[in-house]
Amino acid sequence: MTQNLFIGCGNMGSAMVAGWLVAGEDPASFTAVRPSGTPVPGIRTVRSVGEADLMPDRIVLGFKPQQLRDLAPDVARWVTSRTTIISILAGADMATLKGYFPRARAIVRVMPNLPVAVRRGVLPLLCSDPALQSELQPWFSMLGFAPWCASEEEFGAIGFVAGSTPAYVARFIAAFAAAGEGRGLDAGIALTAAREAVLGSAWLAASSGEPMTDLARRVTSPNGTTEAGLKVLDAELPGLIDRTLAAATARSAELAAETRGS
Ligand SMILES: NC(=O)C1=CN([C@@H]2O[C@H](COP(=O)(O)OP(=O)(O)OC[C@H]3O[C@@H](n4cnc5c(N)ncnc54)[C@H](O)[C@@H]3O)[C@@H](O)[C@H]2O)C=CC1
Ligand SMILES: O=C(O)[C@@H]1CCC=N1
């Protein structure tokens, strides 16, 4: 059985594990290292790599990018020519990772988003080895849309479109709920209405496959209420989203420099 060792298994690591377990993966194929020892639901959790007492086939780097420089030498002790390193660290580029783990069989970058926990994630993948791509594709696809990227730039761009989006959508839902409360709705009803409206809209968009302009048109009666609302939203939203992604991209570049130690 393939042994997958998560070094750091917090919000994202445990979301990935949850998705794989829901998909029917064997819990015995996962071990999580958590310094706190707090168990990751459903899988063996240990406090250190030494305590795990196994030679993993895959090591998932699930700690914070800022920790890479300090933790890499210790992690590298467990890496052999059979080990695939899977990094979910934002910012840490392929060249940096190869520098820290020169003995690894291969290095794979993944930038998952939180809905991997319910198998509806977006997780761009980067690795130039076609054999490894074929080996890993079914495993990653259990968690959602998992495209192999041709370049670090493409990987980054998909990551910026999707990686933080659950947070942005959470803000969007909360803003609609607050606007509903401001119009006298009960808080619970406002939140449920906003959340279900976003879920239903995304579901419809995904299942119909139609262009977004067509979907919007089907809601927008000529000279009706949606048209009045869109005049306000359209004036701000594209620029706002662009500035949002630009800020995340700039921070990623800073993190990349921190992981390199430059
Ligand atoms: N949260 C998200 O939506 C996404 C996170 N990521 C990446 O995932 C990584 C983890 O992020 P989160 O899960 O959000 O953070 P988190 O803070 O929830 O998890 C980090 C985990 O690392 C553990 N840790 C700290 N020191 C350690 C050590 N010495 N040895 C082993 N484990 C140690 C912590 O106990 C914690 O469980 C980051 O590199 C981030 O860039 C990537 C995509 C999305
Ligand atoms: O905020 C972060 O740095 C991580 C990477 C993408 C989403 N969360």
Side-chain angles (χ1 to χ4, degrees):
M1 180 198 312
T2 302
Q3 285 295 336
N4 304 291
L5 181 68
F6 277 72
I7 303 185
C9 196
N11 286 304
M12 182 44 70
S14 56
M16 296 173 82
V17 168
W20 276 312
L21 294 185
V22 170
E25 286 291 273
D26 188 340
S29 66
F30 298 99
T31 302
V33 177
R34 268 188 171 174
S36 66
T38 310
V40 177
I43 66 167
R44 179 177 175 234
T45 308
V46 296
R47 287 176 192 274
S48 66
V49 181
E51 195 187 323
D53 194 26
L54 51 80
M55 288 311 287
D57 304 286
R58 302 174 190 147
I59 292 180
V60 181
L61 306 179
F63 42 77
K64 293 291 187 189
Q66 297 92 323
Q67 296 179 287
L68 179 61
R69 247 186 316 163
D70 290 343
L71 297 185
D74 201 34
V75 175
R77 291 172 43 222
W78 306 92
V79 175
T80 72
S81 58
R82 289 183 53 241
T83 318
T84 300
I85 297 279
I86 297 175
S87 168
I88 66 171
L89 313 186
D93 61 30
M94 205 49 120
T96 299
L97 292 162
K98 282 186 176 150
Y100 283 121
F101 306 108
R103 279 195 303 171
R105 172 190 171 201
I107 294 178
V108 179
R109 288 193 69 191
V110 191
M111 194 48 54
N113 69 1
L114 211 55
V116 291
V118 292
R119 305 186 60 207
R120 293 307 304 243
V122 175
L123 51 158
L125 304 163
L126 191 67
C127 166
S128 53
D129 177 350
L132 196 59
Q133 289 184 2
S134 303
E135 178 189 318
L136 293 175
Q137 183 68 62
W139 194 55
F140 283 122
S141 293
M142 290 176 188
L143 302 183
F145 174 51
W148 290 100
C149 298
S151 67
E152 206 124 33
E153 288 70 29
E154 186 188 7
F155 175 84
I158 299 176
F160 290 122
V161 168
S164 307
T165 297
Y168 304 151
V169 170
R171 287 280 204 274
F172 192 73
I173 292 171
F176 271 101
E181 274 189 74
R183 282 155 182 76
L185 280 183
D186 165 82
I189 289 180
L191 180 59
T192 304
R195 197 181 56 214
E196 291 301 309
V198 170
L199 174 63
S201 303
W203 202 321
L204 182 64
S207 52
S208 76
E210 68 195 306
M212 292 303 101
T213 45
D214 290 0
L215 177 51
R217 197 172 298 121
R218 289 206 283 137
V219 187
T220 311
S221 309
N223 209 19
T225 59
T226 311
E227 190 176 287
L230 281 178
K231 276 187 186 142
V232 177
L233 193 72
D234 287 347
E236 301 286 345
L237 195 62
L240 187 62
I241 297 293
D242 196 54
R243 292 201 304 283
T244 302
L245 296 204
T249 307
R251 180 59 189 138
S252 177
E254 290 173 1
L255 284 172
E258 285 177 45
T259 59
R260 282 193 296 269
S262 56

